[in-house]
């Protein structure tokens, strides 16, 4: 769907998800994250960039698992430590994944996807047309109920900082795995919160499209 149509539907409160493709299970297991491989960090930094042309091919299981782990995974199981920092280790940023089969919440402890809505919300995750058909859109959501120890005036800023760190992990993973990605803030917040069924403690922060690079025609 093009940007003008999305803007018009958004104004009318009619920007809505599509039916999910197929019958996805409530829990989707993921292969364990890779322990090695990928490009050296300096090579990945040289390649990091935003891209806005995506193939509609899905990601295979291992790249999907590695991508989610890079964003929000546990890298120190004895402490429950994550791959990205959070103020006072509040771990307040939830990672949702919009796939054609449904909307899922990444569970870092189980390293699995839990279904959050049985609909394809990809097109509601941004005004730009490529978000509709790329393999997936990540959605970063602050859970304010996890930030009770952070002064109220700082909660939003800290959550955005944490989401920024997670999104950079995704950029570096994508650079290493030769995937395309772009982090995004231009979306209809009301429409997306409705489509995701978010609660009052949950605040939308950023979205990030990830997919295979579009092959030249
Ligand atoms: C907070 C934030 C919001 C952004 N929002 C969008 C967006 O809505 N759509 C988009 O296409 N790019 C978005 N971008 C990507 C920037 O346009 C991009 O990072 C910038 O042009 C620099 O390009 P580079 O990432 O290739 O270095 C956003 C980036 C940040 C950090």
């Amino acid at each position: 769907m093009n940007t003008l149509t999305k803007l018009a539907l958004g104004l009318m409160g009619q920007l809505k998800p599509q039916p999910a493709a197929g019958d996805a299970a409530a829990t989707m297991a993921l292969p364990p994250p890779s322990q090695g491989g990928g490009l050296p960090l300096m090579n990945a930094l040289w390649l990091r960039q935003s891209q806005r042309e995506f193939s509609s091919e899905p990601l295979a299981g291992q790249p999907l698992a590695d991508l989610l782990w890079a964003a929000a995974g546990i890298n120190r199981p004895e402490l429950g430590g994550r791959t990205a920092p959070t103020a006072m280790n509040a771990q307040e940023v939830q990672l949702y994944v919009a796939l054609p089969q449904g909307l899922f919440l990444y569970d870092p402890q189980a390293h699995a996807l839990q279904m959050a809505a049985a609909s394809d919300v990809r097109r509601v995750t941004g005004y730009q047309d490529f978000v509709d058909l790329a393999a997936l859109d990540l959605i970063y959501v602050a859970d304010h109920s996890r930030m009770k120890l952070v002064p109220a005036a700082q909660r939003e800023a800290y959550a955005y900082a944490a989401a920024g760190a997670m999104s950079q992990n995704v950029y570096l993973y994508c650079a290493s795995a030769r995937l395309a990605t772009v982090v995004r803030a231009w979306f209809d917040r009301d429409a997306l919160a409705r489509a995701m069924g978010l609660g009052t403690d949950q605040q939308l922060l950023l979205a990030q499209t990830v997919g295979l690079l579009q092959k030249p025609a």
Side-chain angles (χ1 to χ4, degrees):
M1 185 187 287
N2 70 38
T3 299
L4 278 179
T5 308
K6 289 190 190 196
L7 285 165
L9 287 175
L11 283 175
M12 295 184 289
Q14 292 299 317
L15 184 56
K16 293 192 174 152
Q18 292 185 290
D23 282 327
T27 301
M28 203 191 287
L30 295 164
S34 301
Q35 295 283 332
L39 289 182
L41 177 61
M42 292 307 288
N43 295 158
L45 282 165
W46 279 104
L47 290 172
R48 190 220 65 86
Q49 61 180 305
S50 297
Q51 289 177 301
R52 297 177 182 80
E53 287 180 13
F54 296 86
S55 144
S56 57
E57 265 179 79
L59 252 60
Q62 191 65 56
L64 176 62
D66 290 349
L67 171 82
L68 300 176
W69 182 82
I74 294 179
N75 65 357
R76 288 149 294 156
E78 61 290 358
L79 303 168
R82 301 274 182 95
T83 55
T86 50
M88 303 172 86
N89 198 22
Q91 304 185 350
E92 74 275 22
V93 180
Q94 299 172 305
L95 184 65
Y96 284 83
V97 190
L99 292 165
Q101 310 91 294
L103 175 72
F104 295 85
L105 177 62
Y106 177 63
D107 176 346
Q109 276 78 30
H111 181 61
L113 287 173
Q114 313 289 357
M115 186 176 277
S119 53
D120 177 357
V121 307
R122 287 178 299 169
R123 76 174 180 193
V124 192
T125 69
Y127 286 117
Q128 291 155 289
D129 54 5
F130 59 80
V131 313
D132 303 21
L133 294 174
L136 63 94
D137 294 290
L138 302 173
I139 306 151
Y140 300 93
V141 173
D143 177 0
H144 282 259
S145 71
R146 292 188 62 92
M147 288 192 280
K148 299 272 194 274
L149 296 178
V150 176
Q154 304 299 328
R155 288 179 192 161
E156 183 169 339
Y158 286 4
Y160 269 105
M166 294 165 73
S167 78
Q168 179 72 352
N169 284 2
V170 169
Y171 267 109
L172 291 176
Y173 172 73
C174 288
S176 171
R178 302 290 203 273
L179 296 171
T181 190
V182 59
V183 71
R184 300 180 286 98
W186 190 39
F187 51 84
D188 183 329
R189 284 166 190 266
D190 292 338
L192 186 53
R194 250 194 325 272
M196 295 175 70
L198 295 186
T200 48
D201 273 336
Q202 290 180 295
Q203 179 192 7
L204 284 165
L205 300 170
L206 296 168
Q208 186 164 13
T209 306
V210 177
L212 279 75
L213 293 162
Q214 194 169 50
K215 295 196 184 85

